[in-house]
Amino acid sequence: MIKAEWFYWLVGLSFLVMAGRMVTDRSNPKRLGTGAFWGLIGAGFIYSSWVVTKQAPAEPLGVAVLVMAVLAGFGFTGRGTPRTTTPEERTASAARLGNRLFIPALTIPVVAMACAVGVKNLSFGGEPVLQEGSETILGLGIGAVVALVVAMVILREKRISVPVESGRSMLEAMGWAMLLPQMLATLGAIFQVSGVGDQVGKLTAAALPKDSLLIAVLVYCVGMFAFTTVMGNAFAAFPVMTAAVGWPVLIGHFHGNPAAVLALGMLAGFCGTLVTPMAANFNIVPAALLELKDQYGPIKAQLPTAGVLLGCNVVIMALFAF
């Protein structure tokens, strides 16, 4: 049986190899901090397997996260000079290969779909070929490996060091922001378990006028916007604001349509995604990859749209959800 853990180990090993290359890159003045940051991530992917099975304590992972936060927060990570082709060489290669460049990217979803739909039903010796419940993740991992092989065949590249160097360069370009979505998802879970939603609900109930539907709608939508801006993830903000205002006030007290209220509340949260640097994969990583002069350029461009959409969600909810 192919287990999901094997691919987590492969990801961890990839991070460790790239971290080793970062440490030896003397063009990066912060190579030791950069290598330590990504090396800790790689070690965490591997070590966490034993934490899940309770064969090892979880505290070292927590320490590693704190060390990574220090390395990133105090500027101990940097970027070296990538060992890659020149822009002219890449342009000529792209012109020669044309649409064949899309084949590796399309390979990943094709293989993932095949694993999730077809291979999941296969068994060998009475055991499923893919670990039950992890078919989609395994399909994604297998698809990535197959896509790497396909890309190397198309590009006629025989050196594994080339994709390693390209991956290292991309990690350094994105930096710590690459991990922010995972960190924020964890923060949302912590908020929910620690009862933040209940406390916000008590404060809201004490402050809200009992018969003002419009104010309640405003509090819910603006609250979703604000919490998403702080947390960087509407899915993390949703349980907090819904437990505080959405369900007990808008649905329970004002008898709103649950589907309409909750869907529009989530859309209000997505408006916050447009304007928060915490949503690194949407707003910060693209600026880094495109090497924009202003790293907050996407946020500034999206701010007017976010404001208009938030107002629209408030009006639509107030008029049609009750």
Side-chain angles (χ1 to χ4, degrees):
M1 180 175 64
I2 301 175
K3 299 182 179 180
E5 289 299 315
W6 297 355
F7 284 93
Y8 290 131
W9 296 345
L10 179 59
V11 171
L13 179 61
S14 300
F15 279 130
L16 289 173
V17 171
M18 293 178 189
R21 300 291 294 177
M22 294 172 186
V23 170
T24 59
D25 182 8
R26 296 190 176 275
S27 67
N28 183 357
K30 300 178 180 180
R31 64 182 186 278
L32 296 180
T34 307
F37 181 87
W38 295 106
L40 285 171
I41 296 174
F45 267 93
I46 298 173
Y47 178 81
S48 59
S49 295
W50 288 275
V51 175
V52 171
T53 59
K54 302 187 183 303
Q55 294 177 295
E59 287 76 8
L61 285 177
V63 172
V65 171
L66 294 176
V67 173
M68 287 162 51
V70 171
L71 291 172
F74 288 91
F76 290 110
T77 60
R79 182 179 181 182
T81 302
R83 303 170 186 174
T84 183
T85 55
T86 65
E88 293 77 14
E89 290 173 331
R90 289 195 292 273
T91 300
S93 178
R96 176 175 58 85
L97 293 170
N99 290 333
R100 284 182 291 169
L101 287 172
F102 292 101
I103 295 177
L106 295 174
T107 299
I108 298 177
V110 169
V111 174
M113 180 65 69
C115 290
V117 176
V119 181
K120 67 176 295 185
N121 298 318
L122 300 180
S123 61
F124 183 78
E127 292 286 337
V129 174
L130 302 179
Q131 181 180 350
E132 292 185 12
S134 300
E135 293 88 357
T136 302
I137 295 177
L138 285 170
L140 184 62
I142 296 171
V145 174
V146 174
L148 174 61
V149 175
V150 170
M152 295 185 71
V153 170
I154 291 176
L155 296 174
R156 299 176 184 175
E157 180 58 64
K158 299 180 180 179
R159 298 168 296 171
I160 192 63
S161 61
V162 172
V164 169
E165 287 296 320
S166 298
R168 176 183 73 87
S169 177
M170 181 170 289
L171 288 182
E172 291 181 349
M174 292 187 292
W176 58 266
M178 177 182 175
L179 299 178
L180 198 53
Q182 288 80 7
M183 297 291 187
L184 293 173
T186 304
L187 179 62
I190 293 173
F191 273 20
Q192 184 177 3
V193 172
S194 61
V196 172
D198 295 335
Q199 296 303 316
V200 173
K202 292 178 182 178
L203 294 173
T204 304
L208 272 179
K210 294 187 180 299
D211 297 322
S212 179
L213 172 62
L214 180 59
I215 293 179
V217 170
L218 276 170
V219 169
Y220 182 49
C221 291
V222 175
M224 277 294 300
F225 177 88
F227 263 82
T228 301
T229 302
V230 172
M231 303 173 73
N233 192 320
F235 291 98
F238 183 75
V240 175
M241 287 307 301
T242 299
V245 184
W247 194 267
V249 179
L250 296 179
I251 297 174
H253 180 68
F254 289 106
H255 307 292
N257 182 298
V261 170
L262 301 183
L264 288 166
M266 181 64 81
L267 288 175
F270 291 157
C271 296
T273 305
L274 294 174
V275 301
T276 174
M278 304 295 281
N281 51 333
F282 292 109
N283 300 331
I284 301 300
V285 169
L289 291 178
L290 295 174
E291 298 182 352
L292 300 181
K293 294 181 179 180
D294 185 359
Q295 65 173 330
Y296 299 111
I299 293 176
K300 294 176 181 177
Q302 293 164 176
L303 184 59
T305 302
V308 172
L309 288 177
L310 178 61
C312 290
N313 285 322
V314 171
V315 173
I316 293 172
M317 184 182 295
L319 293 179
F320 300 108
F322 301 90

